[in-house]
Amino acid sequence: QVQVMESGGGLVQTGGSLRLSCTLSGLTGAAMGWFRQAPGKEREGVSCIHASGHPSYYGNSMNDRFTISRDNAKNMVYLQIDNLKPEDTALYYCAAGLYNYCLRDSWSRGDTFYYWGRGTQVTVSS
């Protein structure tokens, strides 16, 4: 049984940092993605990383404050978020893809990710 579980969210002040973790069990060799959804807004793709760890892609509205990485020996994927802003407040989801690579032009839609976690809440206070 495949399970995806996020952790590491919390309440932080503007300018702070968080490292979100994603544990994947029951599956190896999948591209992994991070997505987020803020209240009243559509889900957006944050980042995607190939099964091998390279390359990785970021959503159009993401900038260098976000860094995705993975440790395949531990079956873990991470999302480092620096200089947090109130607009980063959202429920962050981790997902395992159908393929071992990210679809460069369409991964952010999320429809090539089959296994999803329940999310971890990130709240940034101003």
Side-chain angles (χ1 to χ4, degrees):
Q1 182 178 1
V2 178
Q3 290 188 327
V4 179
M5 184 176 297
E6 306 91 341
S7 61
L11 173 64
V12 295
Q13 292 185 335
T14 296
S17 296
L18 279 176
R19 189 175 82 153
L20 307 183
S21 298
C22 174
T23 302
L24 175 65
S25 59
L27 180 69
T28 59
M32 298 294 294
W34 283 98
F35 298 81
R36 69 182 185 183
Q37 188 166 20
K41 295 187 177 182
E42 292 187 353
R43 185 184 66 198
E44 61 177 337
V46 177
S47 186
C48 181
I49 187 167
H50 282 223
S52 65
H54 298 280
S56 55
Y57 302 103
Y58 295 88
N60 290 336
S61 61
M62 307 304 148
N63 52 33
D64 58 4
R65 298 186 297 114
F66 297 84
T67 305
I68 193 171
S69 62
R70 66 189 296 163
D71 184 340
N72 286 338
K74 297 180 180 179
N75 241 11
M76 298 284 293
V77 182
Y78 306 99
L79 182 70
Q80 176 74 31
I81 314 174
D82 297 317
N83 191 20
L84 279 154
K85 304 177 184 299
E87 52 265 39
D88 295 321
T89 295
L91 189 61
Y92 284 72
Y93 297 93
C94 180
L98 294 172
Y99 312 110
N100 63 352
Y101 56 92
C102 307
L103 297 177
R104 182 172 184 171
D105 297 325
S106 62
W107 67 267
S108 60
R109 294 202 304 257
D111 51 10
T112 56
F113 292 84
Y114 191 72
Y115 301 99
W116 292 77
R118 294 186 176 183
T120 185
Q121 178 68 39
V122 173
T123 303
V124 185
S125 63
S126 57

